[in-house]
Amino acid sequence: GATVAATVASTLGPESRPRGAVIAVAAGAGGLGGFLLWRLTRSAARRGLEGALEVAAAEERALRLVDLIHACQPRRFEDVLDETSYCAEVERWVLELRGGPIHVPPALRLAARAAHLERGAVSSEGFGEGRQGYLSWRAKARRRQGERLEEVLLAVGVERGLVARACALVAKELPIHDVDMQTMEDAACLIFLGHRLCQFQADKDDGKMADILQKTWRKMSPQAQAQALGLDYTPRMLGCLLEGAAAAEDLQASVAPMVAPRLPAATVTLLRDSWALVPQDKFGDEFYGRLFAEDENLREVFDIPAARPQNVPKVVRMLLDLLDSEQVPRFERVIHAMAALSRHFGRFRTAHLAAIKKALVRSITDYAPSKEKKKTSQAWEAFFYSVCAVSCPFLIMNDRLCESANSTASALPLPSGGTLAGNLASQGVALLEMCLRVSGLSQGGTAAPEEVLHRITEARDWLMDAVRDDVNAYCGLVSSFIAVTATAEEDEPSPANTRGLQGGAAIAAAAAAAAEEAERRRWLRRSVEVPLHIAELSYGAAVACLQCRRQIKRSLQPEWVAGAKLMRTATEIALRNVSTNLTSIWGKGNSEALEKRFSKLRDTEPPWEDLCNFGIS
């Protein structure tokens, strides 16, 4: 106040400046007002601080009382955790998901600590059997929990607005898009996955568990899903979670995943026996050590909770358990789920497979006896290509252009020349289709007949499917040919060995050998069928377009020729693959139908020159 009075006086002239007594009075009045203002402000701050402390004290009293109530509740037989432990886990996950205590609102903390408050007070009897009865009981139990929590919180002086929100969270009366409600749901799901899953799955098959985990996954936020992938699972439950998560994200195969080769029994036995020699506790670290030595950039790809070292041996164990013939369909679903989720949530690409194969095979072969190393390496290579038969088609079909080039250049023959031929053919057909459509839209242009457009559009789609099929056929063929068979393990099977198998054993051995041979023939046939189909589709599309070549605008003729040449090159590659497989691998005379189709194409006058000749009708 004095400072203000003096400042005002100094700005006035001598004739209008007030006398000193007036200035002194004004300064005194200002000082008194400032003092009174300070006292009032200080009193309000003190009252605010005291009020905040009282609110905090009421919340702490509420938390202690809730803990006491938990401690008095009997533990139900079916509960893995008692009430105190369960609610402590809810609170732990809430703090983890929200980034620490400072980011957790008081109502959310109270609700977390009281999540199962006297849950057993409502008996499940009288609600009927089955899921509907369970849901009815759970709804009533939640309402009762909310009402009981309201009594507890109000009794210790918690503010009514805070009470109402905490009770609504416990009773699950808030919409799921409420951030605190979602956090409570996330915590409940993570506790189910981390503590109750093993007990819950005991009487359920894999399909049922995958369906349950799919629904659980959909309830969680992306942040909770990332935490879920880092939890500790048995190999079986890890597979179910992968299937469920892929289905929840709409990443499952649209019809069925690609088919995997059925490995010979001798290969499966060797895989499992050699895996039993590997120290499980340090395999993950050894695998990643080799992997990152191959490519340091893969550290970023595998820097996710699901890829922690402890999970690596579980994945291997899970896949080995699914190699029996009756389990192979699930093996295919799990592999597809792994590939789809790794691509969707991470940075996994086809180009990374080469380093993984090298690290996996060498890390396991190191522990094999010296005399078994070659066969062990052979068996694990066959296993790896059986995995690729399912995963690679998906990965390659989703690679971007630059990623595809990186994959082709990697130290793994995926994609192969046949796969690239299918891609060339589809791109060539697409160029012809573009030229027809643009020419038809131009002024004075003639639209291509609908049946022609329909045929080449259909051919383009089928050729893209053939790209995927060729990857599958190549991997399956390699796997089936390098797999270790029972006969291959005997350098020279002797008559004594043959005589040693009598009756049922001899019949079983013969049946197994026949099944293995049939499996190899299946992949041999597929390795002929797919490139043959690529050549037939390219020829058919070219012939369909012959009638329209004169309609192409002059400015688009270079693109038309480029498309035709791509199709021609693709057809030549495909037919060469067919010829090689028929004569060198399959053997003449073993598939008359395929040989007839091949001969028909080989003897047909190629359409490529006519397709590029714009002066002839």
Side-chain angles (χ1 to χ4, degrees):
T3 302
V4 172
T7 302
V8 172
S10 66
T11 59
L12 300 175
E15 67 283 355
S16 30
R17 182 177 299 162
R19 288 179 297 176
V22 175
I23 294 174
V25 171
L32 180 60
F35 173 75
L36 292 174
L37 180 61
W38 170 73
R39 287 300 300 268
L40 288 171
T41 304
R42 183 182 180 191
S43 299
R46 181 182 295 143
R47 287 195 300 274
L49 178 60
E50 291 172 351
L53 291 174
E54 176 56 32
V55 169
E59 293 169 9
E60 290 300 322
R61 289 196 299 272
L63 292 172
R64 287 196 299 271
L65 183 54
V66 165
D67 288 342
L68 287 173
I69 295 173
H70 287 329
C72 295
Q73 300 308 305
R75 180 172 177 174
R76 298 187 306 169
F77 174 77
E78 64 269 25
D79 287 340
V80 177
L81 300 172
D82 58 33
E83 282 195 9
T84 300
S85 300
Y86 181 89
C87 294
E89 276 293 281
V90 174
E91 187 173 11
R92 181 179 74 83
W93 275 119
V94 165
L95 293 172
E96 176 74 22
L97 293 166
R98 297 298 283 269
I102 194 173
H103 301 295
V104 177
L108 178 56
R109 188 184 177 202
L110 289 169
R113 188 76 70 89
H116 268 191
L117 186 65
E118 295 183 352
R119 191 186 193 203
V122 178
S123 173
S124 59
E125 295 180 3
F127 287 92
E129 298 293 331
R131 178 168 175 76
Q132 192 56 47
Y134 169 75
L135 293 176
S136 299
W137 165 78
R138 192 173 66 176
K140 184 172 182 180
R142 284 174 180 165
R143 287 195 300 272
R144 198 268 177 192
Q145 286 174 247
E147 294 166 358
R148 177 68 172 124
L149 181 60
E150 182 180 24
E151 295 175 7
V152 171
L153 298 183
L154 290 176
V156 295
V158 176
E159 191 267 325
R160 283 189 173 274
L162 195 59
V163 171
R165 182 161 180 81
C167 293
L169 287 169
V170 168
K172 293 197 172 184
E173 295 173 346
L174 297 176
I176 196 61
H177 57 75
D178 181 283
V179 64
D180 292 345
M181 192 72 260
Q182 180 62 64
T183 302
M184 290 288 288
E185 186 68 49
D186 287 343
C189 291
L190 289 167
I191 292 171
F192 168 73
L193 295 174
H195 293 278
R196 296 190 59 213
L197 191 58
C198 286
Q199 180 193 60
F200 188 78
Q201 56 86 32
D203 59 343
K204 298 172 181 65
D205 61 26
D206 293 344
K208 180 64 174 177
M209 285 307 304
D211 182 61
I212 290 169
L213 291 172
Q214 173 186 348
K215 295 172 182 175
T216 304
W217 185 268
R218 283 179 172 157
K219 292 179 181 179
M220 294 188 289
S221 67
Q223 186 183 5
Q225 290 168 353
Q227 294 287 346
L229 289 173
L231 295 176
D232 193 21
Y233 301 99
T234 64
R236 175 178 174 245
M237 283 301 98
L238 182 59
C240 292
L241 178 65
L242 291 171
E243 280 192 83
E249 297 290 340
D250 292 326
L251 296 173
Q252 73 272 41
S254 55
V255 179
M258 301 302 293
V259 176
R262 271 62 174 167
L263 295 175
T267 296
V268 174
T269 299
L270 183 53
L271 288 170
R272 290 171 177 169
D273 289 347
S274 59
W275 178 247
L277 301 175
V278 177
Q280 308 292 298
D281 57 339
K282 62 179 183 177
F283 177 76
D285 291 322
E286 289 182 356
F287 169 76
Y288 280 131
R290 289 182 182 273
L291 184 65
F292 299 149
E294 291 292 322
D295 187 351
E296 184 68 23
N297 294 325
L298 287 176
R299 288 185 184 276
E300 295 182 6
V301 175
F302 289 91
D303 187 22
I304 53 177
R308 59 197 179 107
Q310 296 90 328
N311 273 348
V312 177
K314 291 181 181 180
V315 170
V316 177
R317 178 75 263 172
M318 169 188 68
L319 296 179
L320 292 180
D321 289 343
L322 296 175
L323 289 180
D324 296 319
S325 295
E326 65 275 9
Q327 289 284 352
V328 171
R330 181 152 186 263
F331 174 88
E332 294 161 355
R333 295 195 301 272
V334 171
I335 290 295
H336 178 87
M338 288 174 60
L341 290 169
S342 299
R343 165 123 195 142
H344 184 68
F345 288 106
R347 305 176 183 178
F348 192 73
R349 302 294 184 264
T350 313
H352 301 145
L353 289 171
I356 292 175
K357 171 179 168 287
K358 190 173 182 180
L360 178 70
V361 174
R362 291 191 176 183
S363 296
I364 296 172
T365 305
D366 276 353
Y367 292 97
S370 298
K371 293 182 179 180
E372 297 289 322
K373 285 188 182 294
K374 183 178 179 180
K375 285 195 298 185
T376 300
S377 175
Q378 188 178 336
W380 282 96
E381 292 230 5
F383 168 79
F384 184 82
Y385 276 105
S386 72
V387 171
C388 287
V390 180
S391 60
C392 246
F394 173 84
L395 292 171
I396 284 178
M397 294 299 286
N398 286 279
D399 275 349
R400 297 192 297 269
L401 185 61
C402 61
E403 294 168 349
S404 179
N406 290 337
S407 303
T408 304
S410 70
L412 193 71
L414 294 170
S416 66
T419 302
L420 295 174
N423 190 33
L424 277 181
S426 67
Q427 297 299 327
V429 172
L431 273 174
L432 299 191
E433 184 178 351
M434 178 273 292
C435 291
L436 289 172
R437 293 188 184 280
V438 174
S439 296
L441 293 173
S442 303
Q443 186 174 3
T446 303
E450 281 299 319
E451 60 271 17
V452 173
L453 288 174
H454 174 74
R455 182 165 182 180
I456 61 175
T457 300
E458 191 175 56
R460 174 166 53 83
D461 291 340
W462 283 345
L463 282 166
M464 290 306 299
D465 289 342
V467 170
R468 179 197 61 199
D469 293 341
D470 188 86
V471 182
N472 174 253
Y474 179 84
C475 293
L477 182 65
V478 173
S479 178
S480 65
F481 265 81
I482 65 176
V484 177
T485 62
T487 53
E489 290 192 287
E490 300 174 2
D491 293 333
E492 293 185 13
S494 64
N497 290 333
T498 305
R499 288 195 301 271
L501 294 175
Q502 300 294 331
I507 294 173
E516 291 171 3
E517 180 61 24
E519 181 70 9
R520 282 192 295 275
R521 287 185 174 276
R522 177 167 74 115
W523 290 102
L524 283 165
R525 183 180 183 89
R526 189 161 172 76
S527 71
V528 173
E529 286 177 331
V530 175
L532 188 57
H533 191 44
I534 290 173
E536 289 170 339
L537 288 170
S538 299
Y539 261 67
V543 171
C545 289
L546 280 174
Q547 61 179 297
C548 303
R549 66 190 188 279
R550 296 184 66 187
Q551 300 169 205
I552 303 305
K553 289 184 62 178
R554 182 178 295 275
S555 61
L556 290 174
Q557 288 177 0
E559 279 67 32
W560 181 271
V561 172
K565 289 185 178 294
L566 288 176
M567 294 164 65
R568 177 178 183 171
T569 301
T571 302
E572 290 172 352
I573 295 171
L575 289 178
R576 184 175 181 83
N577 285 344
V578 172
S579 176
T580 300
N581 292 338
L582 278 173
T583 57
S584 301
I585 302 177
W586 186 265
K588 291 183 178 179
N590 283 320
S591 179
E592 184 178 351
L594 290 175
E595 288 179 347
K596 283 183 177 180
R597 287 168 60 188
F598 173 61
S599 298
K600 181 179 179 181
L601 275 181
R602 185 184 55 196
D603 298 338
T604 300
E605 184 68 26
W608 315 116
E609 294 298 329
D610 289 344
L611 190 61
C612 296
N613 190 338
F614 300 101
I616 303 176
S617 60

